[in-house]
Amino acid sequence: MTIAAPAAAPVGPALTVVDVNRILGPLPNDDVPSRDEDGLVKELERLRIDTACVAHSHAVYGDPRDGNARLGRIADERLRPVPVLVPGPLGTGDWTGGGAPLVRLCPDRHGWAATGPYALGLTAALSLAGVTVLLDWGAVTAADVDLLAGTRPRLRIVLTGTGYRGLREFTELLDTHELLHVDTSTLAGHRQVEWFAQRYGAHRVLFGTGAPVSDDAGPRHLLDTLDLPAHDTSLIAGANALRLLGGGA
């Protein structure tokens, strides 16, 4: 008896995948492939990620001015620089990203108040400039986010590392502020990404891994198994990020 081979699964159009939340450079307590540009690019190729928006580890864990300067030496166009900004005279000053469409704020690591006078001045400038902000959920309170989003109605904020513990607070903020977005780096609960996409629209969910601090293979596999219409999956995979970066509709 001949057993027929199973039919091949239908192959859809290739996704454009943009990791909106990635770190380039060595980590303080780990040896990671992405400690240099070549190693990071090889990781992206292995996981079929087309583009990564990268902050430098020296900017996240050390002096942002040093790390941001290192971003200027990136050679591979698949890596999009994401400066880390610190408000005030002891930070990166009034510089609002040097024309970068996406910046990262780390108030917990650099010791400044997310809703202090300097921070409010910086976020006002970013809002006027149309710059999108990456902000880790663990670095702020829900009240901080509510104030920033409420007083900066044009400021696009992508909350990263949301996980599930703050889900009730987080969903209340998304219900209230239309320009709040979420990345997929820690949305690992059963059908969690689908729930966010169906409740708030796939246009508010961006693919991000948080790598190498958090896992990249899991979020990448998730893209291939999402139970969403192909158009919604395409938005999450990369189209939303390209829009915020100025490279998409």
Side-chain angles (χ1 to χ4, degrees), residues 201-222:
H203 65 286
R204 295 177 70 181
V205 184
L206 286 82
F207 173 70
T209 66
V213 178
S214 55
D215 174 53
D216 50 6
R220 179 60 188 89
H221 174 70
L222 184 65

Side-chain angles (χ1 to χ4, degrees), residues 15 17 47-49 183-197 205-209 215-229 232-234 236-237:
L15 290 174
V17 181
L47 293 170
R48 294 176 292 116
I49 297 173
D183 89 329
T184 63
S185 58
T186 56
L187 295 183
H190 178 60
R191 295 184 63 84
Q192 198 168 20
V193 172
E194 285 90 343
W195 185 86
F196 274 103
V205 184
L206 286 82
F207 173 70
T209 66
D215 174 53
D216 50 6
R220 179 60 188 89
H221 174 70
L222 184 65
L223 283 181
D224 294 329
T225 57
L226 284 176
D227 184 18
L228 288 171
D232 287 357
T233 299
S234 177
I236 294 169

Side-chain angles (χ1 to χ4, degrees), residues 23-26 32-42 56 79:
I23 292 178
L24 166 66
V32 293
S34 56
R35 61 186 174 275
D36 57 35
E37 185 175 335
D38 289 342
L40 174 53
V41 168
K42 289 177 181 177
H56 201 282
L79 304 182

Side-chain angles (χ1 to χ4, degrees), residues 79-192:
L79 304 182
R80 308 279 190 106
V82 179
V84 174
L85 302 188
V86 178
L90 299 179
T92 51
D94 295 330
W95 183 66
T96 56
L102 181 67
V103 301
R104 186 166 180 158
L105 304 181
C106 307
D108 56 334
R109 294 195 177 278
H110 296 129
W112 50 273
T115 54
Y118 289 139
L120 292 177
L122 174 61
T123 52
L126 294 172
S127 177
L128 289 173
V131 175
T132 300
V133 171
L134 289 179
L135 187 59
D136 187 82
W137 181 241
V140 291
T141 67
D144 290 335
V145 177
D146 187 45
L147 177 62
L148 288 176
T151 59
R152 307 284 180 265
R154 294 176 54 193
L155 183 65
R156 295 185 296 265
I157 300 174
V158 180
L159 290 173
T160 65
T162 52
Y164 65 92
R165 295 186 185 277
L167 192 60
R168 291 185 178 89
E169 285 184 306
F170 177 56
T171 53
E172 184 177 18
L173 290 169
L174 282 174
D175 281 335
T176 306
H177 304 293
E178 293 185 356
L179 289 187
L180 281 182
H181 300 69
V182 60
D183 89 329
T184 63
S185 58
T186 56
L187 295 183
H190 178 60
R191 295 184 63 84
Q192 198 168 20

